[in-house]
Each structure stands twice: as structure tokens, then as C-alpha cells.
Amino acid sequence: MPLYEEHVIKVHNSLTGKKEVFKPINEGHIGMYVCGPTVYSNVHLGNCRTFMSFDMIFRYFRHLGYKVRYVRNITDAGHLVDDSEDGEDKIAKKARLEQLEPMEVVQRYTVDFHNILEKFNFLSPSIEPTATGHIIEQIEIIKDILSKGYAYEINGSVYFDVVKFNQTHEYGKLSGRKLEDMIANTRELAAQDEKKSPQDFALWKKAEPQHIMRWPSPWGDGFPGWHLECTAMSTKYLGESFDIHGGGMDLKFPHHECEIAQAEASNGKSPVNYWLHANMLTLNGKKMAKSTGNSILPGEIFSGENAILSKPFSPSMVRFFMMQAHYTSILDISDDALLASEKGFNKLMEAINSIDSLATGKSTHFDVEKWRQSCYGAMNDDFNTPILIAQLFDAVKHINLIKEGKVTITESDKDLLKETFHSFVFEVLGLQSTSSSDEHTEKLSKVVELLIQMRKEARENKDFATSDSIRDQLLALGIQLKDSKEGTTFSIN
Ligand code: AMP
Ligand code: ZN
């Protein structure tokens, strides 16, 4: 019997605003689409958090034995600056500024995205389609929507007619907005605006002569709208109705709202049964975003080279930090929060590494099977990783009691404990074990910090013989100290 048959999963569905029992369309199979990155710049930690939330969800479904088709696209055309309807294409703009071909920009940042995800131990999605690889499919959907009367062509562009759609459907049902309110809150159309209503959005945009990213279409040379690509790629690979659509909370409106409208206009079906939205990573209380400069790059956290960080943090530790928050909660990142998280992470890894050497005995005061079920219970409740981690620490406490000789564990319980830790920590949360060599490096750093402190005290006491001797002896070992106004740092050769 597959494991999923033993478990009832509840998910928070943004479409209904409720936690609902998750039931896939085809038993044992799950279709999941997640909006991927727009590859015009390096991904920041905020982007990583959203993708990591869905990586964890993908991992848990797989762990339960579901066959998951996970589609996460690459946006390489059609996403305009400020998510607007009239701006420049984000990728074309970068290409212009850096004097590159747009596809050089796409290649550079797709490679960066994959490298970062690999460092964070992401699983590859089943399909990673690109917008530019699906122009034909997008044109077909536009033709379909036009033929149903929910779009209009003007000057070589095609727009979705939101007002017309709303007469027979409900535009705004995902984001909880009402079209009348949206209309009341928008200014008049600008004179040069060719849309019938400010709420209308582009399905196809005419390419001006200088626009490099262009494709032929029945309406002339142009490029597809950003919302349309996700409709084209999700329905192509997952069908007209599929199980899960995910993305960051900031994509709910207009992006996902427009996806629903497009799908309903073209085939009359609601495209997605469960809409899952991951919440934002913030820095200093504000959304992490490249455009405002309020961001940390993954590379900076791995090297420690960012003004807010006192030290580097390993990818697995950062992953653990992210998993300590529920995916629907806002998470604020700070040096203090990371340092606190690191203590927990090290404690967890130490406990896991010591399971093999635990002495076994007759009885145990810890019901391992019950504990294991509570780990599943946490994950079944809308993928509650912070509760799961709290459960894991309950067992860590117990492992430490066994190590201290205060209680004992039976051989079979020990096996179950180990297997459960491995399932949840490595398979589901996607953490990687710190090897003993990582631990030694960490210890060495602490010893050098200690010597730096002793040298500082010696200097303060004007004991220069000692302070110089510490510096010279460290240098002889290949450890160089560097003094600056901010203090002393070191490098190990
Ligand atoms: P983009 O490349 O801008 O299309 O964004 C890629 C993904 O990152 C989307 O799902 C966004 O919702 C998500 N995202 C952007 N900023 C943040 C943030 N500060 N925290 C979490 N997710 C974010
Ligand atoms: Zn999308």
C-alpha cells in the first residue's frame, strides 16, 4: 500500500481561503505548476525561499509515494518592467544596458539560478519549459480567446476584455477583489492607451521596430503577454484542469488572477483545484527585492560578504532557517536570527550523527512510533515544517538523554528513530548532513577566533611579544591575520 493512502493532507487553498483536504484528480498522481524566475538578474534569497517552499512540498509528496509531475517554468520573454502592460521587457532592458543579446542574458541568469538551486539541494522539476519555447501554444490560446469574444485586437496588439469576461465569470475571485472597486480606484485611461478599460491586460503586444524580442503572429510581429505564458505551459503539460498551482504571494494579483481568466475564457474550465501561495522573505521588515536594493544574494550569505552578516552560513543551514518558518508566514532574515538558527541546526546534525553509536537497552520512555506519526501529522497539516522541526527536537532531547546514560532505547526503536530522522531531515526538508570535515573547519575557525581574542588582550596589556608570537605562529601554519578598523579577520591557505 502506498504511503499516501495512510495520510490525509490538508492545504491552505487561496481560492477558497480555507484549509481543505487535498485530493488529486487522478489517484496517486499530482500535477503541480509553479511560476519560475524571470531570468534577467541573479536570484536573491527571497526568490529562493518561494522556490524552496515548493521544493519541500514536492519532496513531501514524493516521499508519500505520489507520482508528481512538477512543472516550473523559466520566464525568458514577455515580463515587462514593473510588471506593467507598457514598459520595456525586463530581459530586453538588461540586454540593452549590458550590450548583450537577450538570449545571452537568459543563459547567464538561468545558469546562475540552477547553480544556486543545486547548492541549496533542490530537486529538479519534472519539466522546466521556457516562454520562448511556447510561442505557438500561446498564439493558439489567443486565437481561442478571441473566437470566444473575450479579447480584442487593436493596432497589432491583443488585449483580454476583463469587463466582458466579468459579465459571465468572476474576475477577482482569487485575490478577493471586485472589478467595480478596481475600476473605481483607477484613473482614466491615458490618451495614448489603446485598451478599452485599464483592467484589460495584454495577451499579445505589437513589437515596435526597435524591440528585439519579436515573433510573427496573425496580428503582426510581437511578443506574448507574461500571464499567458503560464497558462500555455501549465495546460500543455498538466491539462486544462490540474491539481496545484503555486507561486509567491505577490503573484496572486494580477498574474494568477489573469491566468484563471485566460483559462476560463478559452476552455470554460477552472484551471486549478488548489492555489498555494508562499509568503515573502523580508529584510529589515521590508520585502526582499532586487529593484529596491533590499536584498541578499545567496552567494553573499555563503561567503558572509554582506554588511548585515557577521559570518558565512552554509546552504543547508540557510535552508534549515527557511524551514523553521511556515511557508505561508512572512519570514524576516537577520544575522541574529541566522545565528540562533545555526545553533539549532548544529544540535540537530550532532544528534543525527550520534544515533548509530547510541547504546541500546531494554526499555525506552519515548514512544518512537507515536513520535513518528506526529512528524507526519505536522507535514499533513499544510506542510507545517516549524512544527515538524519542533517534533524533531523532542527526539533530539531524548537522544541526548540516552547519550547521558539516563534512559535507554531498544534496538528496533533505534532503527526507527534513525529512519524517521533520515526521511524527514534529508528527504523531506532537503537538508544535507554536515560531514565531520565541515565540523572540523567550524571548530578550527572558533580556535582561531579564540587566538585573535587572546592576541587582542595581549596588545591591550602592551605584551607585544605574545601578540606578535600568536600572529607569526599562525602565519607559519598558513593562517593569516588581517587587522582593520573593524577588527581582525583571518584567511586560511
Ligand atoms: P520573479 O523572478 O520576479 O518573477 O520572481 C520569482 C519568484 O520569487 C516569484 O514566485 C515571486 O513571488 C518570488 N519572490 C519575489 N520576491 C520574493 C520575496 N521577497 N520573498 C519570497 N518570494 C519572493
Ligand atoms: Zn506564472
Side-chain angles (χ1 to χ4, degrees):
M1 187 166 88
L3 201 49
Y4 61 76
E5 288 190 10
E6 295 170 25
H7 296 277
V8 176
I9 300 182
K10 287 190 170 172
V11 299
H12 182 270
N13 188 354
S14 307
L15 194 59
T16 56
K18 293 198 188 92
K19 224 188 247 183
E20 297 174 2
V21 171
F22 172 73
K23 196 169 179 305
I25 296 169
N26 300 309
E27 203 203 304
H29 296 258
I30 294 174
M32 174 161 97
Y33 185 89
V34 171
C35 295
T38 306
V39 280
Y40 72 104
S41 67
N42 301 100
V43 280
H44 57 66
L45 279 178
N47 305 130
C48 294
R49 182 184 181 208
T50 286
F51 298 128
M52 202 179 280
S53 297
F54 290 101
D55 182 64
M56 170 273 292
I57 290 171
F58 178 41
R59 282 169 172 276
Y60 187 54
F61 283 141
R62 281 172 39 124
H63 171 74
L64 292 183
Y66 281 110
K67 291 205 163 40
V68 190
R69 182 178 291 169
Y70 173 28
V71 183
R72 188 187 63 213
N73 75 296
I74 295 281
T75 296
D76 57 353
H79 195 172
L80 306 185
V81 173
D82 297 330
D83 297 353
S84 69
E85 289 292 315
D86 278 312
E88 197 174 357
D89 183 297
K90 290 188 185 199
I91 288 158
K93 180 177 176 189
K94 183 77 169 193
R96 178 171 60 76
L97 295 176
E98 306 231 332
Q99 296 190 316
L100 295 169
E101 274 294 318
M103 280 301 137
E104 282 182 284
V105 172
V106 165
Q107 178 70 11
R108 177 188 292 174
Y109 296 110
T110 304
V111 168
D112 170 74
F113 175 63
H114 287 150
N115 282 342
I116 297 297
L117 263 47
E118 201 181 306
K119 291 213 169 74
F120 276 127
N121 196 29
F122 275 61
L123 297 180
S124 288
S126 329
I127 306 177
E128 199 171 36
T130 61
T132 56
H134 296 76
I135 303 285
I136 293 170
E137 288 82 349
Q138 296 177 72
I139 290 174
E140 287 307 310
I141 298 177
I142 300 173
K143 283 194 208 157
D144 202 17
I145 299 177
L146 274 169
S147 75
K148 309 252 161 69
Y150 293 115
Y152 54 92
E153 184 202 347
I154 184 156
N155 302 330
S157 291
V158 182
Y159 295 97
F160 190 91
D161 191 337
V162 173
V163 175
K164 173 92 183 287
F165 175 77
N166 198 53
Q167 287 165 3
T168 44
H169 298 75
E170 192 188 343
Y171 183 76
K173 63 179 170 191
L174 177 68
S175 54
R177 300 175 190 222
K178 290 237 166 302
L179 184 59
E180 305 87 77
D181 299 341
M182 291 182 223
I183 292 172
N185 292 332
T186 43
R187 279 175 278 124
E188 290 291 299
L189 277 174
Q192 76 281 6
D193 206 327
E194 56 194 13
K195 295 191 292 192
K196 286 193 200 165
S197 154
Q199 273 63 46
D200 294 352
F201 55 90
L203 298 174
W204 187 263
K205 286 289 277 184
K206 176 193 170 138
E208 298 306 331
Q210 72 277 13
H211 199 102
I212 358 182
M213 299 171 78
R214 57 197 302 132
W215 291 267
S217 82
W219 316 285
D221 276 9
F223 55 93
W226 171 41
H227 314 309
L228 186 64
E229 62 182 69
C230 285
T231 298
M233 292 183 270
S234 59
T235 52
K236 170 158 180 161
Y237 299 110
L238 300 172
E240 288 180 346
S241 290
F242 55 94
D243 299 303
I244 294 178
H245 192 312
M249 212 70 107
D250 54 342
L251 296 186
K252 211 190 260 186
F253 187 88
H255 187 55
H256 292 159
E257 199 72 71
C258 295
E259 276 189 52
I260 295 179
Q262 290 164 159
E264 291 187 350
S266 77
N267 60 40
K269 284 192 200 144
S270 177
V272 176
N273 287 347
Y274 305 90
W275 283 90
L276 267 47
H277 285 101
N279 216 328
M280 297 292 109
L281 183 70
T282 60
L283 174 61
N284 298 316
K286 283 191 228 86
K287 181 186 165 189
M288 192 174 281
K290 196 74 195 296
S291 54
T292 54
N294 190 45
S295 71
I296 305 178
L297 297 179
E300 293 171 348
I301 207 163
F302 304 154
S303 69
E305 282 161 15
N306 183 296
I308 79 138
L309 302 172
S310 61
K311 65 181 281 301
F313 294 94
S314 74
S316 226
M317 189 341 256
V318 178
R319 193 168 172 119
F320 177 75
F321 168 74
M322 304 260 198
M323 291 294 137
Q324 278 184 307
H326 190 251
Y327 79 97
T328 59
S329 306
I330 288 176
L331 172 63
D332 195 61
I333 192 167
S334 66
D335 194 51
D336 284 348
L338 287 163
L339 289 170
S341 192
E342 190 173 50
K343 282 199 187 125
F345 177 72
N346 291 340
K347 219 166 121 184
L348 178 66
M349 289 303 160
E350 221 172 276
I352 295 174
N353 289 338
S354 68
I355 296 179
D356 276 340
S357 54
L358 290 182
T360 51
K362 268 202 196 116
S363 68
T364 173
H365 302 276
F366 188 66
D367 187 337
V368 179
E369 183 50 40
K370 193 167 158 218
W371 164 76
R372 177 185 168 86
Q373 288 311 323
S374 64
C375 291
Y376 280 103
M379 287 305 288
N380 292 344
D381 184 14
D382 197 21
F383 316 104
N384 201 324
T385 54
I387 301 281
L388 169 67
I389 291 171
Q391 295 293 350
L392 295 175
F393 275 101
D394 261 2
V396 168
K397 229 186 283 165
H398 193 71
I399 290 173
N400 291 336
L401 286 177
I402 301 170
K403 281 205 274 194
E404 289 163 19
K406 293 189 177 141
V407 291
T408 51
I409 187 165
T410 63
E411 194 71 48
S412 63
D413 272 356
K414 181 171 140 176
D415 290 345
L416 191 61
L417 189 72
K418 184 173 172 184
E419 190 203 307
T420 309
F421 264 107
H422 277 250
S423 298
F424 284 99
V425 173
F426 304 130
E427 231 180 275
V428 175
L429 293 179
L431 305 178
Q432 283 169 310
S433 104
T434 45
S435 64
S436 56
S437 78
D438 290 339
E439 276 170 26
H440 287 160
T441 311
E442 180 83 20
K443 285 212 177 98
L444 175 63
S445 298
K446 288 197 176 134
V447 171
V448 177
E449 297 284 358
L450 190 70
L451 287 164
I452 289 175
Q453 186 58 30
M454 288 166 77
R455 173 169 167 262
K456 187 168 162 243
E457 281 163 18
R459 281 163 121 192
E460 280 162 6
N461 295 332
K462 309 224 174 321
D463 179 3
F464 297 111
T466 303
S467 71
D468 287 352
S469 157
I470 290 175
R471 185 197 59 210
D472 295 344
Q473 290 193 56
L474 280 174
L475 190 61
L477 294 169
I479 299 168
Q480 192 177 10
L481 302 188
K482 282 175 229 145
D483 296 314
S484 74
K485 261 187 269 158
E486 285 79 39
T488 305
T489 55
F490 65 93
S491 58
I492 303 175
N493 299 319

